[in-house]
């Protein structure tokens, strides 16, 4: 951000884009060993990521505003939720055509 003289928003967006692309590639090729290569698979991945992110933000928001939890506790809860939903979504929705053999 500072070296490239980018705004925090542009830096954040760039980081998310690189993270999404890297996450898709690693999950496709390593975790789920999917042989399919389609726009449909990429679109399903995007849907799972957006859904997981909304659940993450919603949980953090509700935890801090309604349950009065510390943000230091709410953030890890949101992260666990995001990670779990993303894995499950990828396994049953995104890479469903693969055999889903993990750690072969």
């Amino acid at each position: 951000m500072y070296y490239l003289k980018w705004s925090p928003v542009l830096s954040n967006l760039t980081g998310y884009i690189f993270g999404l692309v890297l996450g898709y590639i690693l999950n496709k090729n390593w975790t789920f060993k999917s042989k399919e290569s389609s726009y449909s698979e990429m679109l399903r991945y995007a849907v799972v990521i957006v859904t997981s992110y909304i659940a993450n933000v919603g949980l953090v928001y509700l935890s801090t505003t309604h349950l009065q939890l510390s943000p230091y506790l709410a953030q890890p809860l949101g992260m666990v939720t995001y990670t779990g939903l993303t894995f499950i979504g990828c396994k049953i929705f995104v890479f469903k055509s693969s055999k889903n053999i993990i750690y072969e």
Side-chain angles (χ1 to χ4, degrees), residues 33-50:
K33 299 185 184 340
S34 173
K35 301 297 182 205
E36 181 181 342
S37 188
S38 69
Y39 290 112
S40 172
E41 187 178 74
M42 288 182 235
L43 180 60
R44 291 191 309 264
Y45 184 76
V47 168
V48 166
I49 293 299
V50 168

Side-chain angles (χ1 to χ4, degrees), residues 74-93:
Q75 286 290 353
L77 289 174
M79 291 166 38
V80 168
T81 301
Y82 176 89
T83 302
L85 287 176
T86 298
F87 179 80
I88 292 166
C90 283
K91 183 170 178 63
I92 65 173
F93 181 62

Side-chain angles (χ1 to χ4, degrees), residues 44-63:
R44 291 191 309 264
Y45 184 76
V47 168
V48 166
I49 293 299
V50 168
T51 302
S52 297
Y53 182 73
I54 290 170
N56 174 2
V57 171
L59 181 63
V60 170
Y61 175 77
L62 291 174
S63 296

Side-chain angles (χ1 to χ4, degrees), residues 10 19-20 25 30 51-52 71-72 78 87 92 100:
L10 180 58
L20 287 173
I25 291 168
W30 185 52
T51 302
S52 297
Y72 296 106
F87 179 80
I92 65 173
N100 285 329

